[in-house]
Amino acid sequence: MDSDIITFSSDNSDKKGVVSEHLAQEDRSPDIVSLRPTRFDDYIGQKDAVDTLKIAIQAAKLRNEPLDHILLHGPPGLGKTTVSHIIANEMGRELTVTSGPTLEKGGDLVGILTHLGEGDILFVDEIHRIPKVVEEFLYPAMEDFAVDFVFDKGIHARSHRFRLKQFVLIGATTRVGLLSAPLRDRFGIFRTLDFYSDEQLMVIIKRSAAILSTRISDEGAMALARRSRGTPRVANRLLKRVRDYAQVKYDGQVSISCVEEALVLEGIDNLGLTRLDRSYLKTIISFYNGGPVGIEAIAATLQEETDTLVDVVEPYLLKIGLVLRTSSGRRASEAACRHLKLDLKSK
Ligand code: ADE
């Protein structure tokens, strides 16, 4: 189980354990950790969520109490992990990171919980994928800061309650609808993170470029922001590809043309759509004549995981109106047909 958790001290410098296999690739990269803001003062966007969290943190500090448990919801890459690092930093507590699918048995979770100190923070990514047997240990842990062990079976069964320190659980999920009501109801703070505006992404890109000692023009930063699917993780990843391109093909400065050329190589179009986004839309338009079509049928045609389409592909396409979700299935919009230069067969 040690291989499935990572603990960060509040200044992010003292890493113990090994990073979870189940964290997103970017969350494991030391580069991204250093691009991450470590204080809310450096954090751009998500104003409502940040304001709520800042007040909760200030109040908890004034009362000298731990925070309420926090549930963060939103598509991947919008900063749920970053926010949990910031909360731990601002509270001056240790952060332990794990994820739902790595917690296979009750003992996996109990082992982590019993090592948490007073006010420490446990971040569970993809909390909607936590197995039911593990979830049942979470209820008394969240509510009473205790775990119940049962020894022996049948008439010899004995139960022992083990007291935990008052920890703070931060759960992150892309699918809040898959959380059971009893688990959802045990979080005192629930916030959804939204896609970032191009202007916010531009500020993030310029900040990251400065950290990476990369020169970038305002136009270059905006061109990159517009192709980043409203997502800082995408912006930071593409910035690195564009930085490489600028270094090899240009004089190192990231300009508009540098962004455009580098991202064509990456298969990213002028709306920031990836090859998978375009295949998804093309399947609905050409294979299912614009829809409506069920997600399982699209996934089968594309030979992709349904979860990848629902969690990663669809949220941004829905947000920019290229796909519509109806009671009878997904439909591609006229804007999607125009963007891909595809016509529907007349019905
Ligand atoms: N890097 C990633 N997300 C960020 C954010 N919201 N603000 C500043 N830098 C970031």
Side-chain angles (χ1 to χ4, degrees), residues 35-37 42-45 78 82 196 204 207-208 232-233 236:
L35 288 182
R36 273 195 187 130
D42 297 327
Y43 188 88
I44 291 136
L78 296 191
T82 303
Y196 289 68
I204 292 173
R207 176 183 178 276
S208 299
R233 182 188 290 162
N236 283 335

Side-chain angles (χ1 to χ4, degrees), residues 272-289:
L273 304 195
T274 62
R275 291 190 182 94
L276 181 57
D277 294 326
R278 291 192 298 275
S279 306
Y280 167 94
L281 290 172
K282 205 171 163 196
T283 301
I284 302 180
I285 296 168
S286 301
F287 209 84
Y288 295 100
N289 201 28

Side-chain angles (χ1 to χ4, degrees), residues 31-32 34-37 42 44 200-216 224 232-240 243:
D31 268 358
I32 293 290
S34 66
L35 288 182
R36 273 195 187 130
D42 297 327
I44 291 136
Q200 289 170 335
L201 283 177
M202 183 175 163
V203 180
I204 292 173
I205 289 166
K206 289 173 78 171
R207 176 183 178 276
S208 299
I211 295 170
L212 297 170
S213 305
T214 297
R215 287 173 295 127
I216 186 164
L224 188 50
R233 182 188 290 162
V234 173
N236 283 335
R237 181 166 53 75
L238 295 181
L239 174 63
K240 290 186 182 164
R243 174 177 73 145

